[in-house]
PDB file of all heavy atoms in Angstrom:
ATOM      1  N   ALA Y1161     -25.017   1.218  23.783  1.00 76.00           N
ATOM      2  CA  ALA Y1161     -23.700   0.689  23.491  1.00 76.00           C
ATOM      3  C   ALA Y1161     -22.817   0.780  24.736  1.00 76.00           C
ATOM      4  O   ALA Y1161     -23.118   1.495  25.694  1.00 76.00           O
ATOM      5  CB  ALA Y1161     -23.081   1.452  22.331  1.00 76.00           C
ATOM      6  N   LYS Y1170     -13.296   3.053  33.862  1.00 84.00           N
ATOM      7  CA  LYS Y1170     -13.011   1.936  32.969  1.00 84.00           C
ATOM      8  C   LYS Y1170     -12.683   2.426  31.557  1.00 84.00           C
ATOM      9  O   LYS Y1170     -11.811   1.875  30.884  1.00 84.00           O
ATOM     10  CB  LYS Y1170     -14.199   0.981  32.923  1.00 84.00           C
ATOM     11  CG  LYS Y1170     -14.449   0.238  34.226  1.00 84.00           C
ATOM     12  CD  LYS Y1170     -15.626  -0.701  34.094  1.00 84.00           C
ATOM     13  CE  LYS Y1170     -15.871  -1.453  35.411  1.00 84.00           C
ATOM     14  NZ  LYS Y1170     -17.037  -2.366  35.304  1.00 84.00           N
ATOM     15  N   VAL Y1174      -9.274   1.673  29.410  1.00 86.00           N
ATOM     16  CA  VAL Y1174      -9.252   1.144  28.037  1.00 86.00           C
ATOM     17  C   VAL Y1174      -8.459   2.068  27.120  1.00 86.00           C
ATOM     18  O   VAL Y1174      -7.648   1.623  26.298  1.00 86.00           O
ATOM     19  CB  VAL Y1174     -10.690   0.952  27.518  1.00 86.00           C
ATOM     20  CG1 VAL Y1174     -10.687   0.606  26.031  1.00 86.00           C
ATOM     21  CG2 VAL Y1174     -11.399  -0.140  28.295  1.00 86.00           C
ATOM     22  N   SER Y1195      15.372  -1.017   8.364  1.00 86.00           N
ATOM     23  CA  SER Y1195      14.698  -0.299   7.292  1.00 86.00           C
ATOM     24  C   SER Y1195      13.856  -1.265   6.454  1.00 86.00           C
ATOM     25  O   SER Y1195      14.270  -2.415   6.241  1.00 86.00           O
ATOM     26  CB  SER Y1195      15.723   0.405   6.405  1.00 86.00           C
ATOM     27  OG  SER Y1195      15.098   1.052   5.325  1.00 86.00           O
ATOM     28  N   LYS Y1241      36.268  -5.256 -33.886  1.00 82.00           N
ATOM     29  CA  LYS Y1241      35.225  -5.503 -34.897  1.00 82.00           C
ATOM     30  C   LYS Y1241      34.100  -6.384 -34.350  1.00 82.00           C
ATOM     31  O   LYS Y1241      33.655  -7.338 -34.997  1.00 82.00           O
ATOM     32  CB  LYS Y1241      35.835  -6.114 -36.153  1.00 82.00           C
ATOM     33  CG  LYS Y1241      36.831  -5.200 -36.845  1.00 82.00           C
ATOM     34  CD  LYS Y1241      37.377  -5.839 -38.114  1.00 82.00           C
ATOM     35  CE  LYS Y1241      38.376  -4.889 -38.796  1.00 82.00           C
ATOM     36  NZ  LYS Y1241      38.918  -5.472 -40.055  1.00 82.00           N
ATOM     37  N   GLU Y1243      30.284  -6.609 -33.304  1.00 84.00           N
ATOM     38  CA  GLU Y1243      29.037  -5.921 -33.600  1.00 84.00           C
ATOM     39  C   GLU Y1243      28.205  -5.740 -32.339  1.00 84.00           C
ATOM     40  O   GLU Y1243      28.345  -6.472 -31.350  1.00 84.00           O
ATOM     41  CB  GLU Y1243      28.232  -6.703 -34.648  1.00 84.00           C
ATOM     42  CG  GLU Y1243      28.940  -6.827 -35.988  1.00 84.00           C
ATOM     43  CD  GLU Y1243      28.097  -7.570 -36.992  1.00 84.00           C
ATOM     44  OE1 GLU Y1243      27.004  -8.056 -36.607  1.00 84.00           O
ATOM     45  OE2 GLU Y1243      28.536  -7.686 -38.154  1.00 84.00           O
ATOM     46  N   VAL Y1293      15.704  -9.406 -23.187  1.00 94.00           N
ATOM     47  CA  VAL Y1293      16.165  -9.683 -21.827  1.00 94.00           C
ATOM     48  C   VAL Y1293      15.743 -11.084 -21.407  1.00 94.00           C
ATOM     49  O   VAL Y1293      14.649 -11.561 -21.730  1.00 94.00           O
ATOM     50  CB  VAL Y1293      15.602  -8.633 -20.835  1.00 94.00           C
ATOM     51  CG1 VAL Y1293      14.093  -8.561 -20.892  1.00 94.00           C
ATOM     52  CG2 VAL Y1293      16.074  -8.919 -19.409  1.00 94.00           C
ATOM     53  N   PHE Y1312      10.904  -9.695 -25.081  1.00 92.00           N
ATOM     54  CA  PHE Y1312      11.322  -8.518 -25.831  1.00 92.00           C
ATOM     55  C   PHE Y1312      10.481  -7.345 -25.351  1.00 92.00           C
ATOM     56  O   PHE Y1312       9.254  -7.347 -25.502  1.00 92.00           O
ATOM     57  CB  PHE Y1312      11.123  -8.727 -27.331  1.00 92.00           C
ATOM     58  CG  PHE Y1312      12.155  -9.604 -27.968  1.00 92.00           C
ATOM     59  CD1 PHE Y1312      11.991 -10.982 -27.994  1.00 92.00           C
ATOM     60  CD2 PHE Y1312      13.294  -9.059 -28.537  1.00 92.00           C
ATOM     61  CE1 PHE Y1312      12.938 -11.799 -28.590  1.00 92.00           C
ATOM     62  CE2 PHE Y1312      14.260  -9.870 -29.127  1.00 92.00           C
ATOM     63  CZ  PHE Y1312      14.080 -11.241 -29.147  1.00 92.00           C
ATOM     64  N   ASN Y1355      20.521 -11.281 -18.466  1.00 95.00           N
ATOM     65  CA  ASN Y1355      21.256 -11.060 -19.713  1.00 95.00           C
ATOM     66  C   ASN Y1355      20.431 -10.139 -20.597  1.00 95.00           C
ATOM     67  O   ASN Y1355      19.298 -10.474 -20.977  1.00 95.00           O
ATOM     68  CB  ASN Y1355      21.525 -12.377 -20.434  1.00 95.00           C
ATOM     69  CG  ASN Y1355      22.715 -13.136 -19.854  1.00 95.00           C
ATOM     70  OD1 ASN Y1355      23.079 -14.193 -20.332  1.00 95.00           O
ATOM     71  ND2 ASN Y1355      23.337 -12.596 -18.809  1.00 95.00           N
ATOM     72  N   LYS Y1365      14.336  -0.240 -38.238  1.00 85.00           N
ATOM     73  CA  LYS Y1365      14.423   0.881 -37.301  1.00 85.00           C
ATOM     74  C   LYS Y1365      14.392   0.413 -35.842  1.00 85.00           C
ATOM     75  O   LYS Y1365      13.760   1.032 -34.982  1.00 85.00           O
ATOM     76  CB  LYS Y1365      13.290   1.881 -37.548  1.00 85.00           C
ATOM     77  CG  LYS Y1365      13.249   2.457 -38.946  1.00 85.00           C
ATOM     78  CD  LYS Y1365      14.495   3.287 -39.244  1.00 85.00           C
ATOM     79  CE  LYS Y1365      14.431   3.909 -40.629  1.00 85.00           C
ATOM     80  NZ  LYS Y1365      15.668   4.688 -40.955  1.00 85.00           N
ATOM     81  N   ARG Y1486     -34.364   3.581   6.936  1.00 66.00           N
ATOM     82  CA  ARG Y1486     -33.096   3.188   7.525  1.00 66.00           C
ATOM     83  C   ARG Y1486     -33.004   1.671   7.561  1.00 66.00           C
ATOM     84  O   ARG Y1486     -33.948   0.968   7.247  1.00 66.00           O
ATOM     85  CB  ARG Y1486     -32.950   3.749   8.945  1.00 66.00           C
ATOM     86  CG  ARG Y1486     -32.964   5.276   9.029  1.00 66.00           C
ATOM     87  CD  ARG Y1486     -32.906   5.722  10.472  1.00 66.00           C
ATOM     88  NE  ARG Y1486     -33.024   7.173  10.592  1.00 66.00           N
ATOM     89  CZ  ARG Y1486     -33.262   7.810  11.726  1.00 66.00           C
ATOM     90  NH1 ARG Y1486     -33.403   7.120  12.830  1.00 66.00           N
ATOM     91  NH2 ARG Y1486     -33.355   9.118  11.758  1.00 66.00           N
ATOM     92  N   CYS Y1505     -12.144  -0.064 -10.490  1.00 83.00           N
ATOM     93  CA  CYS Y1505     -11.198   0.519 -11.448  1.00 83.00           C
ATOM     94  C   CYS Y1505      -9.758   0.304 -10.994  1.00 83.00           C
ATOM     95  O   CYS Y1505      -8.882  -0.055 -11.800  1.00 83.00           O
ATOM     96  CB  CYS Y1505     -11.480   2.016 -11.621  1.00 83.00           C
ATOM     97  SG  CYS Y1505     -12.997   2.382 -12.532  1.00 83.00           S
ATOM     98  N   PHE Y1507      -8.757  -2.076  -9.084  1.00 88.00           N
ATOM     99  CA  PHE Y1507      -8.501  -3.518  -9.198  1.00 88.00           C
ATOM    100  C   PHE Y1507      -8.119  -3.886 -10.632  1.00 88.00           C
ATOM    101  O   PHE Y1507      -7.171  -4.659 -10.860  1.00 88.00           O
ATOM    102  CB  PHE Y1507      -9.722  -4.301  -8.747  1.00 88.00           C
ATOM    103  CG  PHE Y1507      -9.647  -5.773  -9.034  1.00 88.00           C
ATOM    104  CD1 PHE Y1507      -8.824  -6.597  -8.287  1.00 88.00           C
ATOM    105  CD2 PHE Y1507     -10.391  -6.334 -10.062  1.00 88.00           C
ATOM    106  CE1 PHE Y1507      -8.732  -7.954  -8.560  1.00 88.00           C
ATOM    107  CE2 PHE Y1507     -10.316  -7.681 -10.338  1.00 88.00           C
ATOM    108  CZ  PHE Y1507      -9.489  -8.494  -9.592  1.00 88.00           C
ATOM    109  N   GLY Y1531      -0.714   2.011 -22.903  1.00 82.00           N
ATOM    110  CA  GLY Y1531      -0.790   1.553 -21.521  1.00 82.00           C
ATOM    111  C   GLY Y1531      -0.807   2.695 -20.533  1.00 82.00           C
ATOM    112  O   GLY Y1531      -1.541   2.662 -19.538  1.00 82.00           O
ATOM    113  N   ARG Y1562     -27.185  20.538  10.684  1.00 66.00           N
ATOM    114  CA  ARG Y1562     -28.310  21.458  10.537  1.00 66.00           C
ATOM    115  C   ARG Y1562     -29.459  21.029  11.435  1.00 66.00           C
ATOM    116  O   ARG Y1562     -30.118  21.860  12.076  1.00 66.00           O
ATOM    117  CB  ARG Y1562     -28.768  21.502   9.081  1.00 66.00           C
ATOM    118  CG  ARG Y1562     -29.881  22.517   8.816  1.00 66.00           C
ATOM    119  CD  ARG Y1562     -30.324  22.467   7.376  1.00 66.00           C
ATOM    120  NE  ARG Y1562     -30.854  21.153   7.029  1.00 66.00           N
ATOM    121  CZ  ARG Y1562     -31.295  20.814   5.814  1.00 66.00           C
ATOM    122  NH1 ARG Y1562     -31.215  21.705   4.822  1.00 66.00           N
ATOM    123  NH2 ARG Y1562     -31.767  19.617   5.578  1.00 66.00           N
ATOM    124  N   THR Y1596      -9.617  10.010  16.835  1.00 56.00           N
ATOM    125  CA  THR Y1596      -9.717   9.694  15.412  1.00 56.00           C
ATOM    126  C   THR Y1596      -8.971  10.711  14.568  1.00 56.00           C
ATOM    127  O   THR Y1596      -8.272  10.363  13.615  1.00 56.00           O
ATOM    128  CB  THR Y1596     -11.188   9.625  14.989  1.00 56.00           C
ATOM    129  OG1 THR Y1596     -11.886   8.750  15.872  1.00 56.00           O
ATOM    130  CG2 THR Y1596     -11.313   9.107  13.568  1.00 56.00           C
ATOM    131  N   PHE Y1647     -15.462  -2.828  20.105  1.00 90.00           N
ATOM    132  CA  PHE Y1647     -15.629  -2.912  21.551  1.00 90.00           C
ATOM    133  C   PHE Y1647     -16.605  -1.859  22.072  1.00 90.00           C
ATOM    134  O   PHE Y1647     -17.538  -2.170  22.822  1.00 90.00           O
ATOM    135  CB  PHE Y1647     -14.279  -2.762  22.241  1.00 90.00           C
ATOM    136  CG  PHE Y1647     -14.357  -2.731  23.737  1.00 90.00           C
ATOM    137  CD1 PHE Y1647     -14.596  -3.888  24.458  1.00 90.00           C
ATOM    138  CD2 PHE Y1647     -14.219  -1.541  24.429  1.00 90.00           C
ATOM    139  CE1 PHE Y1647     -14.689  -3.862  25.836  1.00 90.00           C
ATOM    140  CE2 PHE Y1647     -14.309  -1.499  25.809  1.00 90.00           C
ATOM    141  CZ  PHE Y1647     -14.551  -2.664  26.515  1.00 90.00           C
ATOM    142  N   GLY Y1668     -38.371  10.752  23.558  1.00 35.00           N
ATOM    143  CA  GLY Y1668     -37.940  11.583  22.423  1.00 35.00           C
ATOM    144  C   GLY Y1668     -36.605  12.227  22.679  1.00 35.00           C
ATOM    145  O   GLY Y1668     -35.737  12.254  21.806  1.00 35.00           O
TER     146      GLY Y1668
END
Side-chain angles (χ1 to χ4, degrees):
K1170 292 181 180 179
V1174 172
S1195 177
K1241 297 182 180 181
E1243 298 181 355
V1293 56
F1312 284 87
N1355 280 181
K1365 302 296 182 182
R1486 298 176 185 166
C1505 288
F1507 171 74
R1562 184 182 61 181
T1596 308
F1647 176 75

